[in-house]
Amino acid sequence: LNPGVKQDLVKTINPEKSERVALMKCPACGHGWINPAPSQAMLDSLYASSSHDVVGMTWENELEEKTLSNSERLVLRLARTLTETKPQARPRYLEIGVGRGILYQSVRRLGLDVTGVETGTWGQQDGIVSSLSDVSPSIFDLIACIDVLEHLENPVALVSHLRKFASANRRLVCRFPRVDSPEARLRGGQ
């Protein structure tokens, strides 16, 4: 552990287990994680069943664009800019962790060629696959990875893998929650 890393014991998100895990927090950047990290197989099983323990009980009420986070609004601004600066070409967009598809559909309505990856059953829409390995290797103009990295056993591996989908002048927008951010405080620490 790095000096100053804080930890609290919390119940795991797995509804079938009563064990407690250490909720870790870096004092320098505010990044939070659990220790031990859940296996990717356990995370995949929760997502595949559209578990409310993963997506939360409020997702059904958040199906409108007005609920987009600042990061998601940034993705939309970048997508609009791409359509304005590349009128002859159809810009390509890749979204990792589509969820219910609010951002995905918003970008699609702007006219981009969209591809999405979502392991949960709620993400089964046209153009969405269940694994990044199902995405044909090609260059995307914009890649979004919103609230996904904190759910992975090895987030660095995903970001490294995404390099094969983007050239140096492309945009990758990632967001992961900080437990002490204003947004988290407004949502009651969730």
Side-chain angles (χ1 to χ4, degrees):
L1 283 179
N2 293 331
V5 169
K6 298 176 185 176
Q7 72 176 27
D8 294 307
L9 290 180
V10 296
K11 186 181 178 306
T12 179
I13 62 168
N14 187 338
E16 299 170 6
K17 299 201 176 196
S18 61
E19 69 182 302
R20 297 182 81 70
V21 296
L23 178 62
M24 314 296 285
K25 179 182 173 190
C26 174
C29 69
H31 177 69
W33 69 96
I34 62 170
N35 187 18
S39 71
Q40 195 63 52
M42 189 276 286
L43 290 171
D44 290 346
S45 72
L46 289 172
Y47 281 106
S49 65
S50 299
S51 170
H52 282 288
D53 297 288
V54 175
V55 297
M57 295 302 286
T58 62
W59 64 265
E60 293 155 312
N61 299 325
E62 298 180 355
L63 295 180
E64 299 178 31
E65 280 186 37
K66 67 182 181 181
T67 65
L68 294 177
S69 69
N70 288 337
S71 301
E72 292 164 323
R73 287 187 190 104
L74 171 62
V75 169
L76 283 178
R77 280 195 309 272
L78 291 170
R80 280 188 195 98
T81 301
L82 283 170
T83 59
E84 293 164 4
T85 58
K86 292 182 145 192
Q88 289 78 21
R90 188 169 179 211
R92 302 199 67 228
Y93 171 72
L94 174 62
E95 185 173 331
I96 309 297
V98 172
R100 298 292 292 171
I102 300 166
L103 179 60
Y104 179 84
Q105 291 299 334
S106 297
V107 172
R108 173 179 265 168
R109 282 192 294 274
L110 292 173
L112 278 73
D113 179 9
V114 296
T115 300
V117 178
E118 177 56 61
T119 60
T121 55
W122 60 84
Q124 295 178 353
Q125 304 174 41
D126 185 39
I128 299 177
V129 296
S130 61
S131 172
L132 189 56
S133 61
D134 296 331
V135 176
S136 60
S138 56
I139 300 300
F140 290 87
D141 299 288
L142 178 59
I143 301 172
C145 192
I146 309 293
D147 295 335
V148 171
L149 297 176
E150 71 276 11
H151 298 281
L152 301 176
E153 190 172 23
N154 188 350
V156 174
L158 172 67
V159 174
S160 295
H161 185 68
L162 289 175
R163 295 171 93 187
K164 79 177 190 177
F165 294 104
S167 67
N169 60 345
R170 304 303 196 242
R171 301 282 178 134
L172 169 63
V173 177
C174 293
R175 173 188 123 134
F176 52 90
R178 282 185 43 189
V179 293
D180 62 347
S181 70
E183 182 179 358
R185 287 194 300 270
L186 285 172
R187 291 184 179 199
Q190 298 178 3

